[in-house]
Amino acid sequence: MRFTFWAVFGCIALSAGPFDKLGPNDLARGKRLFEAQCSVCHGMNGAGGKGANLAVVKFRNAANDDALVEVVKNGVPDSEMPAAWWMNEQEAVQVAYFVRSLGRIASTIKIAGSIPAGKEVFLGKGGCAGCHIAEGAGGSMGPDLSLIGARRSPAHLRESILEPGKAVPEGFLALTVVDAAGNKIRCIRVNEDTFTIQVRNMAGKILSFRKSELREIHKDFGASPMPSYAGRLAEPDVDNLVAYLASLRGEK
């Protein structure tokens, strides 16, 4: 009987979550750490920016609380999310505790606009599908938007539509190259090493050049080939497009 008691007790203890013994002071400490270290990418309220929108109920890379703590501590491989090597164990747990709290108000956030109508704008008058993939279809000139709703806040999405130069994704670089014949080619960098560069031109074709054969490579940091839709789309169309983009989370 004693063995059974301790076996059951041990299982209960082992199943305790990382947040079970935390309280308001831990939440406040996690908030301060988040604002100091994480908000530069995720926004002061976790609604996203350069980093993912964290004001959600479910996380793609953290199925439970323990996994969320691990993401805070170790980052996400092959992504822009780094390991928080400057935090100790308790601080990582406190930050994860605060991040989890953000999802509790996610359901209260209302986005103006209609998702179906926004999809029509995306596929129709907005012409977005010509450059962006969404729901498995579209062009490859611009970034893939299949998961954009999980990565960016509605405010950031609106800014990227109205002022695209302010919301250029990291690693996305517009170029103008001048070839040996003097032709100027407006393009997007695909890959680059010391001696060669691969680009995608405005027609979507991949071109490869040896740098020594090019007359000029002009890198337009902070520029975007995407046009501003300010004045091109009516405000209701912008609202609808934001609603549609915010719904793109890779969920079925």
Side-chain angles (χ1 to χ4, degrees), residues 46-49 51-60 106 109 111 115 122 133-135 144-158 160 241-251:
N53 176 13
L54 301 179
V56 295
V57 177
K58 295 181 180 180
F59 299 101
R60 292 181 58 83
I109 299 174
I111 301 176
I115 293 174
F122 186 91
I133 293 174
E135 299 184 289
D144 188 333
L145 301 182
S146 301
L147 302 174
I148 196 65
R151 295 174 175 166
R152 299 291 185 263
S153 69
H156 191 277
L157 294 173
R158 180 177 294 274
S160 69
L241 184 55
V242 169
Y244 173 62
L245 294 174
S247 76
L248 297 176
R249 298 173 176 271
E251 300 169 351

Side-chain angles (χ1 to χ4, degrees), residues 57-87:
V57 177
K58 295 181 180 180
F59 299 101
R60 292 181 58 83
N61 295 301
N64 53 47
D65 292 340
D66 288 302
L68 181 56
V69 173
E70 289 302 308
V71 168
V72 173
K73 289 165 51 179
N74 302 315
V76 178
D78 301 320
S79 80
E80 298 175 45
M81 174 67 183
W85 53 266
W86 56 87
M87 292 185 192

